[in-house]
């Protein structure tokens, strides 16, 4: 696909000062969203994650079983959106989640660095889907991006998108904390959307710098502009250091302010986190809960 047209229209230079001012403006709204209604909504946006080197069949089975029993233990709350696991554990999670509406997200394509052969990336994603993954989170080829090889970056995403069925959601991680400035965050977001992703995502959570309010504002603006150009609604997933309730409220408020209530749904907004689930449950229930451990 020729990406030059959309690049020329939407590759805009970002003013750091403007973004800083926008973040400060949004910060003033946070007090209105520090309430249980928002906490419950954020719980329903969760891609609850286990991506540890110590993950094993039994730990993922227990993790998935607890998720599957959320409706029994907290029937008044929405289900989380999905569980996010390594490709090797998709089938394990699927057995436990078979009777639930919780999706299965698999990382793939050489996560978290994306530094492997395209054929390996394609096969890994296809195998995860075949084993039952409903959603695949891949990492943009940041090395190629840093060299300015934008066509190659976008083509790789497009090829992986074509490898998957249309029913499988694709989320592209732009690793915003590794990019050289907010203008690069804008470019990476536009490239991923033009290449066919369903979501753009901030971070793997495996680098020192994960999601930031500034990067999320830039990404939301890119989604808004892309929607204005194409009519396509692209989702946003925020991950990488999102562990506190105030983090969830902050990112909820950014999405609400820039993209509006249409994006405040699990179909278009996700929060990737491992510790946030219990913290949201504790705030909602007014007692300390260590459900997921």
């Amino acid at each position: 696909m020729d990406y030059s047209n959309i690049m020329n229209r939407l590759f805009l230079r970002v003013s750091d000062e403007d973004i800083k001012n926008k973040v400060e403006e949004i910060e003033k709204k946070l007090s209105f969203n520090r309430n249980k209604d928002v906490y419950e909504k954020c719980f329903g946006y969760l891609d609850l994650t286990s991506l540890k080197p110590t993950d094993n069949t039994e730990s993922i089975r227990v993790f998935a079983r607890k998720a599957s029993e959320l409706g029994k233990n907290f029937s008044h709350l929405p289900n989380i959106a999905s569980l996010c696991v390594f490709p090797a554990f998709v089938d394990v999670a699927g057995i436990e989640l078979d009777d639930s509406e919780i999706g299965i997200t698999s990382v793939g394509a050489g996560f978290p660095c994306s530094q492997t052969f395209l054929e390996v990336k394609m096969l890994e994603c296809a195998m995860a889907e075949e084993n039952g993954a409903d959603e695949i989170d891949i990492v943009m080829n940041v090395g190629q991006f840093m060299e300015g090889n934008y066509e190659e970056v976008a083509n790789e995403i497009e090829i992986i998108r074509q490898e998957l069925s249309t029913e499988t959601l694709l989320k592209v991680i732009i690793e915003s904390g590794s990019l050289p400035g907010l203008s690069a965050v804008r470019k990476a977001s536009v490239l991923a959307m033009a290449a066919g992703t369903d979501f753009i995502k901030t971070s793997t959570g495996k680098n020192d710098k994960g999601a930031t309010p500034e990067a999320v504002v830039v990404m939301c603006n890119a989604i808004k502009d892309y929607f204005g150009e194409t009519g396509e609604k692209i989702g946003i997933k925020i991950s990488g250091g999102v562990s506190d309730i105030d983090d969830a409220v902050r990112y909820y408020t950014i999405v609400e302010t820039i993209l509006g209530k249409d994006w405040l749904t699990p179909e278009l907004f996700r929060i990737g986190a491992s510790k946030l689930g219990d913290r949201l449950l504790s705030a909602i229930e007014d007692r300390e809960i260590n459900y997921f451990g």
Side-chain angles (χ1 to χ4, degrees), residues 118-215:
L118 176 57
E119 292 82 0
V120 173
K121 296 179 183 183
M122 294 164 62
L123 181 60
E124 186 177 45
C125 292
M127 289 178 69
E129 181 186 61
E130 185 177 349
N131 281 356
D134 306 295
E135 309 177 10
I136 305 288
D137 288 16
I138 69 170
V139 186
M140 180 190 74
N141 194 321
V142 177
Q144 288 275 20
F145 181 87
M146 299 281 275
E147 284 190 332
N149 298 327
Y150 304 137
E151 290 278 352
E152 288 83 351
V153 172
N155 282 335
E156 184 175 282
I157 295 169
E158 183 181 2
I159 288 168
I160 294 172
R161 171 71 272 179
Q162 292 170 351
E163 189 71 21
L164 303 172
S165 73
T166 55
E167 290 79 21
T168 299
L169 280 181
L170 177 66
K171 309 191 200 94
V172 173
I173 305 162
I174 66 168
E175 203 65 282
S176 57
S178 296
L179 300 179
L182 294 177
S183 292
V185 170
R186 168 86 182 196
K187 282 185 179 181
S189 300
V190 171
L191 274 181
M193 291 188 287
T197 191
D198 300 296
F199 274 71
I200 51 175
K201 176 179 170 183
T202 53
S203 172
T204 60
K206 302 300 182 182
N207 285 347
D208 291 340
K209 190 173 183 181
T212 65
E214 291 78 12

Side-chain angles (χ1 to χ4, degrees), residues 87-138:
F89 299 116
V90 166
D91 56 346
V92 177
I95 291 170
E96 298 297 332
L97 294 174
D98 189 46
D99 294 327
S100 80
E101 296 179 355
I102 299 170
I104 302 172
T105 296
S106 173
V107 294
F111 179 94
C113 295
S114 193
Q115 298 286 15
T116 189
F117 303 105
L118 176 57
E119 292 82 0
V120 173
K121 296 179 183 183
M122 294 164 62
L123 181 60
E124 186 177 45
C125 292
M127 289 178 69
E129 181 186 61
E130 185 177 349
N131 281 356
D134 306 295
E135 309 177 10
I136 305 288
D137 288 16
I138 69 170

Side-chain angles (χ1 to χ4, degrees), residues 31-291:
S31 59
F32 296 102
N33 284 331
R34 290 189 180 106
N35 59 70
K36 290 186 180 182
D37 180 57
V38 170
Y39 302 161
E40 289 184 13
K41 288 177 181 177
C42 288
F43 190 77
Y45 303 144
L46 282 177
D47 283 354
L48 202 61
T49 301
S50 186
L51 296 171
K52 304 186 294 292
T54 54
D55 286 346
N56 56 69
T57 299
E58 183 59 23
S59 69
I60 296 301
R61 183 179 290 124
V62 170
F63 180 53
R65 186 180 302 134
K66 287 182 177 180
S68 72
E69 294 174 351
L70 273 168
K72 180 173 65 177
N73 293 299
F74 301 96
S75 59
H76 54 295
L77 296 181
N79 258 328
I80 60 174
S82 83
L83 286 192
C84 182
V85 297
F86 284 118
F89 299 116
V90 166
D91 56 346
V92 177
I95 291 170
E96 298 297 332
L97 294 174
D98 189 46
D99 294 327
S100 80
E101 296 179 355
I102 299 170
I104 302 172
T105 296
S106 173
V107 294
F111 179 94
C113 295
S114 193
Q115 298 286 15
T116 189
F117 303 105
L118 176 57
E119 292 82 0
V120 173
K121 296 179 183 183
M122 294 164 62
L123 181 60
E124 186 177 45
C125 292
M127 289 178 69
E129 181 186 61
E130 185 177 349
N131 281 356
D134 306 295
E135 309 177 10
I136 305 288
D137 288 16
I138 69 170
V139 186
M140 180 190 74
N141 194 321
V142 177
Q144 288 275 20
F145 181 87
M146 299 281 275
E147 284 190 332
N149 298 327
Y150 304 137
E151 290 278 352
E152 288 83 351
V153 172
N155 282 335
E156 184 175 282
I157 295 169
E158 183 181 2
I159 288 168
I160 294 172
R161 171 71 272 179
Q162 292 170 351
E163 189 71 21
L164 303 172
S165 73
T166 55
E167 290 79 21
T168 299
L169 280 181
L170 177 66
K171 309 191 200 94
V172 173
I173 305 162
I174 66 168
E175 203 65 282
S176 57
S178 296
L179 300 179
L182 294 177
S183 292
V185 170
R186 168 86 182 196
K187 282 185 179 181
S189 300
V190 171
L191 274 181
M193 291 188 287
T197 191
D198 300 296
F199 274 71
I200 51 175
K201 176 179 170 183
T202 53
S203 172
T204 60
K206 302 300 182 182
N207 285 347
D208 291 340
K209 190 173 183 181
T212 65
E214 291 78 12
V216 174
V217 166
V218 171
M219 293 167 73
C220 286
N221 281 333
I223 289 171
K224 182 177 181 180
D225 293 345
Y226 189 81
F227 175 65
E229 285 280 339
T230 67
E232 294 180 46
K233 288 182 176 178
I234 305 298
I236 184 164
K237 178 174 175 178
I238 299 154
S239 64
V242 186
S243 59
D244 295 329
I245 291 174
D246 242 24
D247 293 331
V249 171
R250 179 171 290 103
Y251 293 124
Y252 174 97
T253 307
I254 291 172
V255 172
E256 179 185 46
T257 301
I258 297 174
L259 293 171
K261 294 190 182 297
D262 283 355
W263 262 262
L264 296 178
T265 166
E267 286 71 38
L268 290 169
F269 180 31
R270 299 289 181 85
I271 301 171
S274 56
K275 299 177 181 177
L276 185 59
D278 280 340
R279 290 172 181 174
L280 285 169
L281 284 174
S282 298
I284 294 164
E285 298 294 305
D286 288 322
R287 58 189 174 92
E288 185 162 349
I289 293 176
N290 193 31
Y291 182 76

